[in-house]
Amino acid sequence: MRNVIIKCLLCGSFTFGIWTAVFTIYFRNNHVGNQEKIPLKKEDPFIWSLGEKLQEQTFQGSEQIPRPHVSTGSSSKDEIKEQKPILKLRDDFNYLDPELFHGFLKYGLNSIISKRLGSYRDVPDTRDKLCHRKQYPVTLPTASIIICFHNEEFNALMRTVSSVMSLTPHHILEEIILVDDMSEYDDLKEKLDYHLEIFRGKIKIIRNKKREGLIRARLVGASHASGDVLVFLDSHCEVNKVWLEPLLHAIDKDPKMVVCPLIDVIDDMTLEYKPSPVVRGAFNWHLQFKWDLIFSYELNGPEGPTRPIRSPAMVGGIFAINRHYFYELGQYDKGMNLWGGENMEISLRIWMCGGQLLIIPCSRVGHVVKQHITNQTEVAKALAFNSLRVVHVWLDDYKEQFFLRRPDLKSLDYGNISERVELRKRLGCKSFQWYLDTVFPELETAE
Ligand code: UDP
Ligand code: MN
């Protein structure tokens, strides 16, 4: 009898889980459809939507978060509006198609369209017109592109690699390093090796023997790199025209400059490549990342919308850093688990320890806004653990601001942070008060 009851309960919760996921996807798509009719106001911040659902779950009480909307605060508005989408779904698209649903569960994106798009496509040039006039020196530092992946959709990964191969001058591309973080899908093994053969000489593939999580997987990639600059990319990106030169040029001028492209949105449902407005990376007292729109007056200077933007934080997935500086600055916190929080840690460390973090609007890289449906509890646990490490190493007395919002995390374990505290001392880093005063005064008064 007990067995029967247990079986019934298991069966019930499985069915419930499946239906919850179906409705999540269904309502999300209706919701997005409605939301796109609402114009984005200047003061609306928007949280990095990839972690949106997860963050809502992990950090209760967070305010309503609108999804990124394709509008622009810059003068390039009209130019962007004119561009035709590469792909548009028919209105009668069936969201409850089992193959589509299965693809979302497995990959967090529309795998039917991804397969149809295949290994490469052209994406619209989303740069401001003024970027076209920019000249970069022929001799630039070389770059190692590091792409870690775990259970990625095959074509999305291939598009990431082939867009880099097609749109990067080969004399500045030292190599692409792929790190397979213990993926379970068959097509990411021999089939992938076979398809990467055409890029032989420029590609290294490393396969982790156990799943390390994004943070340690990136460190594995970095340890095999020999270029002057490390460029980290997610495994579902497509780079745009002249994407790398502006990043390398900025680092060449100042090796302590850490730079990010402006991240365009590749819609998880339609895989449409959409331009993003000029933004800076910010966060709230929950340590949730969000984008802040740039006011148009900030783009009125001689460089206009091509001006590099000082950014209090980076979203994490895509950035470039001088390789020696990456090590000098203490790489990543190896004590962090799985996913999340590392972007806040490295952002604070860059600013507080003598570097700078900038977004370069003339460099554009598209990134799929993925749905994280599976493993949410595991990831939420890692995010809380990692965030606590950030709080205890970097926030000084301001950690109280975090715990005011998250009293439930006050007594949670965060591992041993002595090495990171030591690093902060060794690098002679400034206080969090300095960071608030100099880099991100808007945070202090935030709710
Ligand atoms: N990733 C990994 N190991 C993990 C989790 C993620 O290598 O345990 C990879 C993942 O395939 C992706 C990158 O790390 O290329 C960032 O993950 P994701 O895109 O899920 O993060 P997000 O963009 O949502 O911040
Ligand atoms: Mn991603």
Side-chain angles (χ1 to χ4, degrees), residues 48 50 148-150 181 211 213-214 234-236 338-339 367 372:
W48 177 240
L50 297 185
C148 302
F149 63 95
H150 174 77
D181 194 18
R211 184 169 177 195
L214 153 74
D234 272 10
S235 47
H236 32 264
L338 205 61
W339 181 96
H367 170 263
H372 290 280

Coordinates of all heavy atoms in Angstrom, one line a residue, residues 48 50 148-150 181 211 213-214 234-236 338-339 367 372, ligand 1:
W48 N 19.1 41.5 -15.9 CA 19.6 40.5 -16.9 C 18.6 39.3 -16.9 O 18.5 38.6 -16.0 CB 21.0 40.0 -16.4 CG 21.6 39.0 -17.2 CD1 22.0 37.8 -16.8 CD2 22.1 39.1 -18.5 NE1 22.7 37.1 -17.7 CE2 22.7 37.9 -18.9 CE3 22.0 40.1 -19.5 CZ2 23.3 37.7 -20.1 CZ3 22.6 39.8 -20.8 CH2 23.2 38.6 -21.0
L50 N 18.2 36.5 -18.2 CA 18.5 35.1 -18.2 C 18.3 34.6 -16.8 O 17.9 33.4 -16.6 CB 20.0 34.8 -18.6 CG 20.3 35.2 -20.0 CD1 21.6 34.8 -20.4 CD2 19.3 34.6 -20.9
C148 N 32.9 28.2 -22.6 CA 32.6 27.0 -21.8 C 31.1 26.6 -22.2 O 30.3 27.4 -22.4 CB 32.6 27.3 -20.4 SG 34.2 27.9 -19.9
F149 N 30.9 25.3 -22.2 CA 29.5 24.9 -22.5 C 29.1 23.6 -21.6 O 30.0 22.8 -21.4 CB 29.3 24.6 -24.0 CG 30.1 23.5 -24.6 CD1 29.6 22.2 -24.7 CD2 31.4 23.7 -25.0 CE1 30.3 21.2 -25.2 CE2 32.1 22.7 -25.6 CZ 31.6 21.4 -25.7
H150 N 27.9 23.6 -21.2 CA 27.3 22.5 -20.6 C 26.0 22.2 -21.2 O 25.1 23.0 -21.1 CB 27.2 22.7 -19.1 CG 26.5 21.6 -18.3 ND1 27.2 20.4 -18.0 CD2 25.3 21.5 -17.9 CE1 26.3 19.6 -17.4 NE2 25.1 20.2 -17.3
D181 N 32.0 21.3 -20.2 CA 31.9 21.1 -18.8 C 31.0 19.9 -18.6 O 29.9 20.0 -18.0 CB 31.4 22.4 -18.1 CG 31.5 22.3 -16.6 OD1 32.4 21.5 -16.1 OD2 30.9 23.1 -15.9
R211 N 31.8 17.8 -13.8 CA 31.3 19.1 -14.0 C 31.9 20.1 -13.0 O 31.8 19.9 -11.8 CB 29.8 19.1 -13.9 CG 29.1 20.4 -14.2 CD 27.7 20.3 -14.3 NE 27.1 21.6 -14.5 CZ 25.8 21.9 -14.4 NH1 25.0 21.0 -14.1 NH2 25.3 23.1 -14.6
G213 N 31.3 23.5 -13.2 CA 30.5 24.8 -13.0 C 31.3 25.8 -13.9 O 32.4 25.7 -14.2
L214 N 30.5 26.9 -14.2 CA 31.0 27.9 -15.1 C 32.3 28.5 -14.7 O 33.2 28.8 -15.5 CB 29.8 28.9 -15.3 CG 30.2 30.3 -15.6 CD1 30.6 30.5 -17.1 CD2 29.0 31.2 -15.3
D234 N 29.7 33.2 -23.8 CA 28.8 32.1 -23.5 C 28.7 31.2 -24.8 O 29.0 31.7 -25.9 CB 27.4 32.6 -23.2 CG 27.3 32.9 -21.7 OD1 28.3 32.8 -21.0 OD2 26.1 33.1 -21.2
S235 N 28.1 30.1 -24.7 CA 28.1 29.1 -25.8 C 26.8 29.3 -26.7 O 26.5 28.4 -27.5 CB 28.2 27.7 -25.3 OG 27.2 27.5 -24.2
H236 N 26.1 30.4 -26.5 CA 24.9 30.7 -27.3 C 25.0 32.2 -27.7 O 24.0 32.9 -27.4 CB 23.6 30.3 -26.6 CG 23.8 30.5 -25.1 ND1 24.1 29.5 -24.3 CD2 23.7 31.7 -24.4 CE1 24.2 30.0 -23.0 NE2 23.9 31.3 -23.1
L338 N 29.2 26.3 -9.2 CA 28.3 26.2 -10.3 C 28.1 27.4 -11.2 O 28.6 27.5 -12.3 CB 26.9 25.7 -9.8 CG 26.1 25.0 -10.8 CD1 26.8 23.7 -11.3 CD2 24.7 24.6 -10.2
W339 N 27.4 28.4 -10.7 CA 26.9 29.5 -11.5 C 26.5 30.7 -10.7 O 25.9 30.5 -9.6 CB 25.7 29.0 -12.3 CG 25.1 29.9 -13.3 CD1 25.3 30.0 -14.6 CD2 24.0 30.9 -13.0 NE1 24.5 31.0 -15.2 CE2 23.7 31.5 -14.2 CE3 23.4 31.3 -11.8 CZ2 22.8 32.6 -14.3 CZ3 22.4 32.3 -11.9 CH2 22.2 32.9 -13.2
H367 N 23.4 37.5 -27.7 CA 23.4 36.4 -26.7 C 22.0 35.9 -26.5 O 21.0 36.7 -26.4 CB 23.9 37.0 -25.4 CG 23.7 36.1 -24.2 ND1 22.7 36.2 -23.3 CD2 24.5 35.1 -23.7 CE1 22.8 35.3 -22.4 NE2 23.9 34.6 -22.6
H372 N 15.9 29.2 -18.0 CA 16.5 28.2 -17.1 C 15.3 27.5 -16.4 O 14.7 28.0 -15.5 CB 17.4 28.9 -16.0 CG 18.6 29.4 -16.5 ND1 19.7 28.6 -16.8 CD2 19.0 30.7 -16.9 CE1 20.7 29.4 -17.2 NE2 20.3 30.6 -17.3
Ligands
UDP1 N1 28.1 26.6 -18.1 C1 29.1 25.6 -17.9 N2 29.0 24.9 -16.7 C2 28.0 25.0 -15.9 C3 27.0 25.9 -16.2 C4 27.1 26.7 -17.3 O1 30.1 25.5 -18.6 O2 27.9 24.2 -14.9 C5 28.3 27.4 -19.3 C6 27.0 27.5 -20.2 O3 26.9 26.5 -21.1 C7 27.2 28.9 -20.8 C8 27.9 29.7 -19.7 O4 28.5 28.7 -18.9 O5 28.0 28.8 -22.0 C9 27.0 30.6 -19.0 O6 25.8 29.9 -18.5 P1 24.4 30.4 -18.8 O7 24.3 30.8 -20.2 O8 23.4 29.4 -18.3 O9 24.4 31.7 -17.9 P2 23.6 33.0 -18.1 O10 23.9 33.5 -19.5 O11 22.2 32.6 -17.9 O12 24.1 33.9 -17.1

